[in-house]
Amino acid sequence: MTTATSSMSPIQAVDTSQDVIRCVGLSKTFKDFWLRNRVRAVDNLSLEVHRGELFGLLGPNGSGKSTTIKMMLGLLHPTAGRISILGKRPEDVAIKKMIGYLPEESYLYRFLNARETLDYYARLFFQNRLQRRRRVDMLLEMVGLEAVQRRPVGEYSKGMQRRIGLAQALINDPHLLILDEPTTGLDPIGTRQIKDLLLELKSRGKTILLCSHLLSDVEDVCDRVSIMYGGKVRQEGTVDQLLTKQESTTIEVAKLDDKTLKEVCDLLTSRGIDITKVDQPRMKLEALFMDIVHQAQAEGVATSGASAGGRIAEFLSNESSLAVTDSASRGQILDDLVKVLPVKQEPVKPKVAAVKPKVDNSVLSSLTESSPASRSTGDGAAKPFEEPKSSTPAPKKPVAGNHSVLDDLLGGNDK
C-alpha cells in the first residue's frame, strides 16, 4: 500500500457529500396472525440527517421512534419507502462496522465485568490485542467506571449500565452513532457528562442521532429536531426556529435599581408597549447541582460508585485523521501477517556410526577349517594361516587320507 487512499477503510469509502441518513416515504405496518393490518407504526416518514449533525428524534411513547431506528439498522424491513444509511441499504453488512448503537435497554452479559464486556465487543470488530487493551482503558476512564471495572455488570446500577453501554457503542470508533435514551437512569453528573461527550463527538465530525424523552437534554445539544406523533413527523427544524418566540423580546442587563426600573417602564408605557413581566433571571437547577458537586470534589469529599469520568478517548478521532490512523493500524496488522518468523535452529546431533552386529564365526570356522591333522606339518609344528593371493580363491582339493569336517557332513567319507 503506497498511499492512504488505497488502504482506505469502508468509513472513508463512503461519499460524505450526501446525507448520512435519508428516509423517503417510509412506512411500517405490523400484521396479526391472519396477515391483517394490526397497527401502522410509521406512516409515510421522510427525514434527512446531514453529515456531522446532532439530530434529535422526539415523540411520546408509541409514536414510532424505536421502529424507525430498527428499520435504519436493518433489524426491521419497511412495508414501503426507501432508507439510505451512509449511502447504502441498511441490510448491507459493510456498513455495520461504521455504526455504533445504544438501545433503550442494554442487554449485557451480567457475569462479565466491564473490562471483559468491552473486550468481547472489540473482538467482534477483529481488533488486535494491543488495540483492544488501549481502547478499553480509555473508554473506562472516559465513562467513569475505571474504579469498578472488575465488578460484574449484573451488579451495576441502571446508570452504571448505561455508562458501559455507551462505551460499548463507541468501541469501534463509529461514523454514525445512534443513541436511544442514553441518559436514562443517570445522575445529573452523568447526564451532564453525556451531553458534553456528544458535543465533543460532534465537533470531531461524528454524526449522531439522539432519541430521548428528556427534552432539556435535546434542547442543550441538538442542532435540529424532528417531533413525531402517530408515526408521522409533525414538525421539524432547528432548536432556535422551534423555540424562539417571535412575538416577544427579552432584554437582559445588570440589576437595575427601583428608580431606573420605573423610568424604563414609564418610557415603554408612553410608547404604547405593554410590559407583561419584569423579573430577575434564574439559573437552571442542573447548573446549581453541578456547582455543589464540583465544590465537594474540590474539598476532597469521598464517594462510592461511578466517578465523574475523564477525558474523551483519544481513538475517537476526527475524520481528518481517521484515514491515517486506520491505515497505520491495518498496515501493522498486515506486517504482522506477512512477517517471516526466524526459524528455530535445532541442535545438531552428532552422527553415530552404525554398529554392525557382531557375528559369531566360531561355528562357521569350525565347519570350513580342516582337521588338526591337515594343519600340522611333518615335524609337528603348526603352520600359520595364509591368505590366498587371488581375489577368488581356488577350491581346495581334498587330500587323500585327510577329510575335513565339511566332507564328513556332506558324506565325503564314504569309502
Side-chain angles (χ1 to χ4, degrees):
M1 292 180 291
T2 58
T3 62
T5 305
S6 61
S7 62
M8 193 169 292
S9 68
I11 296 180
Q12 288 79 43
V14 175
D15 185 7
T16 54
S17 62
Q18 58 185 345
D19 297 326
V20 176
I21 300 177
R22 184 180 179 87
C23 302
V24 179
L26 190 62
S27 298
K28 178 61 178 178
T29 302
F30 292 98
K31 299 179 181 296
D32 59 9
F33 178 79
W34 306 104
L35 300 180
R36 296 175 300 189
N37 293 339
R38 181 167 56 92
V39 60
R40 193 173 183 85
V42 179
D43 185 11
N44 196 24
L45 174 68
S46 297
L47 60 86
E48 298 176 356
V49 179
H50 308 306
R51 171 176 170 265
E53 185 179 38
L54 210 166
F55 187 87
L57 189 61
L58 307 179
N61 293 331
S63 59
K65 304 187 304 299
S66 298
T67 302
T68 301
I69 290 178
K70 290 179 180 179
M71 287 190 291
M72 292 178 181
L73 296 173
L75 303 178
L76 290 177
H77 296 285
T79 305
R82 294 182 292 107
I83 306 177
S84 173
I85 305 295
L86 296 168
K88 299 180 180 296
R89 293 175 58 87
E91 296 82 6
D92 195 334
V93 181
I95 66 171
K96 303 299 182 182
K97 65 181 67 175
M98 301 183 292
I99 301 176
Y101 175 51
L102 175 63
E104 185 176 1
E105 293 290 339
S106 298
Y107 299 98
L108 304 173
Y109 296 99
R110 57 180 293 105
F111 297 107
L112 297 180
N113 58 38
R115 174 170 290 277
E116 293 170 342
T117 299
L118 296 181
D119 183 80
Y120 167 75
Y121 284 101
R123 287 174 181 266
L124 298 180
F125 293 99
F126 303 101
Q127 299 177 10
N128 58 55
R129 183 177 180 181
L130 178 60
Q131 189 180 29
R132 294 198 310 268
R133 185 185 302 115
R134 290 182 63 252
R135 291 194 175 189
V136 169
D137 290 339
M138 288 185 288
L139 286 174
L140 289 175
E141 179 186 0
M142 185 187 72
V143 298
L145 295 177
E146 191 175 14
V148 293
Q149 58 180 298
R150 301 296 180 182
R151 287 175 54 184
V153 174
E155 299 179 3
Y156 281 2
S157 64
K158 175 70 174 179
M160 296 170 68
Q161 289 185 1
R162 298 308 286 170
R163 290 171 182 260
I164 191 66
L166 178 63
Q168 166 263 319
L170 295 172
I171 192 67
N172 60 322
D173 189 15
H175 184 74
L176 171 62
L177 185 61
I178 300 178
L179 305 177
D180 194 356
E181 303 291 343
T183 58
T184 301
L186 289 176
D187 55 15
I189 300 177
T191 301
R192 181 70 261 175
Q193 179 192 0
I194 295 300
K195 292 192 290 187
D196 293 339
L197 172 63
L198 296 181
L199 293 175
E200 178 66 23
L201 292 175
K202 188 190 73 169
S203 67
R204 298 192 176 202
K206 306 295 183 184
T207 304
I208 304 172
L209 176 62
L210 174 62
C211 180
S212 177
H213 288 137
L214 301 178
L215 303 183
S216 59
D217 298 342
V218 178
E219 179 183 353
D220 292 339
V221 298
C222 288
D223 300 320
R224 289 192 306 125
V225 173
S226 180
I227 302 177
M228 295 181 60
Y229 187 86
K232 296 183 178 181
V233 175
R234 299 297 174 176
Q235 198 166 359
E236 181 178 323
T238 64
V239 176
D240 291 337
Q241 292 174 349
L242 297 178
L243 301 182
T244 300
K245 294 182 178 181
Q246 303 295 337
E247 65 277 6
S248 302
T249 302
T250 301
I251 301 175
E252 184 173 348
V253 297
K255 185 178 180 180
L256 302 176
D257 55 33
D258 295 338
K259 180 180 180 181
T260 305
L261 183 59
K262 186 177 181 305
E263 292 177 355
V264 172
C265 292
D266 293 341
L267 177 60
L268 295 176
T269 303
S270 63
R271 293 178 176 266
I273 300 175
D274 295 333
I275 301 175
T276 57
K277 183 179 180 180
V278 177
D279 198 0
Q280 292 181 342
R282 296 172 52 183
M283 65 185 305
K284 291 186 177 181
L285 183 59
E286 180 188 28
L288 175 62
F289 183 90
M290 295 302 299
D291 291 341
I292 295 175
V293 172
H294 290 161
Q295 182 178 357
Q297 291 176 346
E299 296 174 359
V301 179
T303 184
S304 60
S307 61
R311 64 183 185 276
I312 189 171
E314 296 178 0
F315 73 90
L316 297 173
S317 55
N318 52 21
E319 228 174 299
S320 60
S321 62
L322 190 58
V324 179
T325 303
D326 185 74
S327 175
S329 175
R330 289 183 292 106
Q332 178 64 33
I333 297 175
L334 292 177
D335 293 341
D336 294 340
L337 291 175
V338 302
K339 182 172 60 177
V340 179
L341 298 177
V343 180
K344 183 178 181 181
Q345 299 292 340
E346 297 290 342
V348 181
K349 297 181 179 180
K351 294 184 178 180
V352 179
V355 179
K356 296 182 179 181
K358 295 182 178 180
V359 180
D360 189 2
N361 296 327
S362 59
V363 179
L364 184 60
S365 299
S366 64
L367 295 174
T368 57
E369 288 179 355
S370 61
S371 61
S374 65
R375 296 195 306 265
S376 303
T377 59
D379 54 2
K383 195 173 184 178
F385 177 77
E386 295 180 357
E387 292 288 341
K389 294 182 179 181
S390 62
S391 59
T392 304
K396 293 182 180 181
K397 294 181 179 181
V399 182
N402 295 330
H403 299 282
S404 64
V405 179
L406 184 59
D407 293 334
D408 295 339
L409 294 174
L410 297 176
N413 56 351
D414 296 338
K415 294 180 181 180

